[in-house]
Amino acid sequence: MDFEPPFQQTWKAIPLQNSSHEALLTSHDYDKLSLAEECELPMIDLSHLNLGHLERDKCMNDIAQAANQWGFFQVVNHGVPQKVIKSMQYEQKRLFHMPFAEKVEKNFLNLSSNCYRWGNPQATCLRQFLWSEAFHISLNEIPTMNDLHKSLKSTIEAFVKVVSGLAKNLAEILAQPLGVKSIYFEENCPPRSSYLRLNRYAPRPFPSQVFGLVSHTDTDFLTIVHQDQVGGLEIFKDGRWMAVKPNPEALIVNIGDLFEALSNGIYKSIKHRVVTGQEVERFSVAYFYCPSCDVVVRSCGDEPSTYRQFTLREYKLQTQIDVQETGEKVGLSRFLL
């Protein structure tokens, strides 16, 4: 298949100490990836926001409670038309099934040179290698996308238009119990400071499970994800990994590091990962709701701050340093007071 990145060749080229690639695949560390229990995330019906006062208040409280206790929740009646979601799935599959040689070309789709990513060039060991590929698209790049792919461009625009409004509404709801002014996000998160990530997780060629995305937290305020029905997303809760059961009607929402810092730890940005399937490919699309790079994020409330204030630019720079030195993101623990 000419669209597939050279995952297996690159994976086998990563040096090992005192082991073989084949032996590692049968080790306990890899076997335990399959032990995650399946869970259903808290379900929020957003249509209740448009009902009476009591129903609206309960819905808002449920959102805040899920952000505190889980850091993840799913929403239905979210306002994103199924037609737009189906179109995004179709265009995304067409995009990833283009020849690999074209996807790695400079300025493919007239996007930035580091837009297309696969594997993990910073991997220092096998467990950091990603069996996935992605297009990481800043919203300010969408208007200048190549017109040769008009249907892809128009579909992304339609998806972003609806999801960006949903992200802002959810952020404002979560801000209310914290005492953060509702205009905070309007002032600090201009439309083009966020970004979209299109993901494809390739089927693995061997029985043991490997990562499509290693354990991490998201950097943003919050993330909205649509995933297909293949499954593979896992969250770390109560000291164990739990597999998220796919729901065709729902979008997944998770709290990012910036919201945990803003809320002074009330809302939780929790670790999550993706485990690849052996037989079928998996697709997802994620919208990351972000502030401008120089917005100062500081903890709210009367309690002593858990984290020192920082900007998104500073946070990203620290993350780059950590990934270069360790192969992994360290996250908010770098900013503890």
Side-chain angles (χ1 to χ4, degrees), residues 177-332:
L178 305 176
V180 176
K181 294 180 180 179
S182 61
I183 60 170
Y184 175 89
F185 295 100
E186 186 172 346
E187 291 178 341
N188 295 308
C189 301
R192 294 186 179 180
S193 63
S194 299
Y195 60 94
L196 197 69
R197 184 179 173 104
L198 311 180
N199 301 299
R200 174 183 174 264
Y201 301 94
R204 65 184 188 275
F206 29 68
S208 296
Q209 292 178 305
V210 294
F211 293 121
L213 203 58
V214 294
S215 172
H216 69 288
T217 59
D218 290 348
T219 294
D220 57 354
F221 278 120
L222 56 83
T223 308
I224 298 178
V225 177
H226 176 266
Q227 63 169 345
D228 61 21
Q229 297 309 295
V230 173
L233 174 64
E234 298 182 354
I235 64 173
F236 192 73
K237 186 178 187 298
D238 299 330
R240 67 186 190 276
W241 286 102
M242 306 173 73
V244 175
K245 184 178 180 180
N247 183 326
E249 304 298 322
L251 296 176
I252 294 174
V253 182
N254 66 276
I255 299 300
D257 297 343
L258 300 189
F259 227 140
E260 177 167 332
L262 179 69
S263 70
N264 203 19
I266 292 176
Y267 299 147
K268 304 299 190 294
S269 177
I270 70 168
K271 290 182 179 180
H272 51 285
R273 66 187 186 187
V274 175
V275 176
T276 60
Q278 188 177 2
E279 298 180 352
V280 293
E281 59 189 354
R282 176 184 184 269
F283 294 93
S284 70
V285 54
Y287 177 89
F288 298 88
Y289 188 51
C290 301
S292 299
C293 281
D294 294 317
V295 168
V296 177
V297 178
R298 54 174 62 89
S299 298
C300 63
D302 299 325
E303 296 296 321
S305 295
T306 302
Y307 306 103
R308 67 175 178 84
Q309 67 181 38
F310 56 86
T311 65
L312 177 57
R313 188 185 307 279
E314 182 182 2
Y315 195 85
K316 283 184 172 181
L317 178 60
Q318 182 61 58
T319 297
Q320 289 175 0
I321 293 171
D322 290 336
V323 169
Q324 288 171 358
E325 292 181 351
T326 69
E328 298 179 354
K329 172 185 173 182
V330 176
L332 278 174

Side-chain angles (χ1 to χ4, degrees), residues 4-255:
E4 199 74 83
F7 291 118
Q8 196 162 2
Q9 301 93 308
T10 307
W11 182 80
K12 285 190 173 183
I14 297 175
L16 290 179
Q17 290 184 343
N18 304 320
S19 182
S20 69
H21 292 75
E22 291 72 18
L24 186 64
L25 286 174
T26 59
S27 72
H28 175 68
D29 283 347
Y30 271 83
D31 287 342
K32 71 182 180 181
L33 294 179
S34 61
L35 300 180
E37 300 176 30
E38 190 173 64
C39 72
E40 291 195 34
L41 298 175
M43 177 67 75
I44 309 293
D45 186 343
L46 295 182
S47 68
H48 290 188
L49 293 172
N50 301 317
L51 299 179
H53 210 51
L54 291 177
E55 289 87 349
R56 177 179 172 82
D57 286 349
K58 183 179 184 307
C59 184
M60 293 173 68
N61 288 336
D62 287 345
I63 292 171
Q65 185 177 49
N68 168 253
Q69 296 181 359
W70 283 75
F72 269 75
F73 54 94
Q74 52 189 339
V75 295
V76 292
N77 293 315
H78 40 66
V80 183
Q82 279 297 315
K83 181 180 178 181
V84 173
I85 291 175
K86 294 290 186 185
S87 181
M88 176 62 79
Q89 289 177 312
Y90 173 76
E91 293 294 341
Q92 189 173 359
K93 189 170 185 177
R94 278 208 330 167
L95 174 63
F96 280 111
H97 285 187
M98 293 183 68
F100 176 68
E102 293 185 25
K103 291 183 290 189
V104 295
E105 286 180 355
K106 187 176 182 181
N107 296 326
F108 177 66
L109 298 178
N110 202 31
L111 296 170
S112 59
S113 58
N114 66 339
C115 169
Y116 176 67
R117 306 168 185 185
W118 68 275
N120 179 7
Q122 279 84 37
T124 58
C125 63
L126 292 183
R127 293 183 63 83
Q128 294 170 356
F129 186 75
L130 309 180
W131 217 272
S132 63
E133 55 181 328
F135 285 92
H136 189 93
I137 305 172
S138 171
L139 297 198
N140 61 16
E141 292 187 287
I142 296 174
T144 60
M145 284 180 65
N146 195 322
D147 285 337
L148 294 175
H149 301 83
K150 285 185 178 180
S151 59
L152 172 64
K153 179 180 177 181
S154 61
T155 297
I156 288 177
E157 288 174 335
F159 183 82
V160 165
K161 181 178 180 180
V162 185
V163 175
S164 59
L166 174 61
K168 180 173 178 288
N169 290 340
L170 289 172
E172 290 174 349
I173 288 170
L174 288 165
Q176 288 191 30
L178 305 176
V180 176
K181 294 180 180 179
S182 61
I183 60 170
Y184 175 89
F185 295 100
E186 186 172 346
E187 291 178 341
N188 295 308
C189 301
R192 294 186 179 180
S193 63
S194 299
Y195 60 94
L196 197 69
R197 184 179 173 104
L198 311 180
N199 301 299
R200 174 183 174 264
Y201 301 94
R204 65 184 188 275
F206 29 68
S208 296
Q209 292 178 305
V210 294
F211 293 121
L213 203 58
V214 294
S215 172
H216 69 288
T217 59
D218 290 348
T219 294
D220 57 354
F221 278 120
L222 56 83
T223 308
I224 298 178
V225 177
H226 176 266
Q227 63 169 345
D228 61 21
Q229 297 309 295
V230 173
L233 174 64
E234 298 182 354
I235 64 173
F236 192 73
K237 186 178 187 298
D238 299 330
R240 67 186 190 276
W241 286 102
M242 306 173 73
V244 175
K245 184 178 180 180
N247 183 326
E249 304 298 322
L251 296 176
I252 294 174
V253 182
N254 66 276
I255 299 300

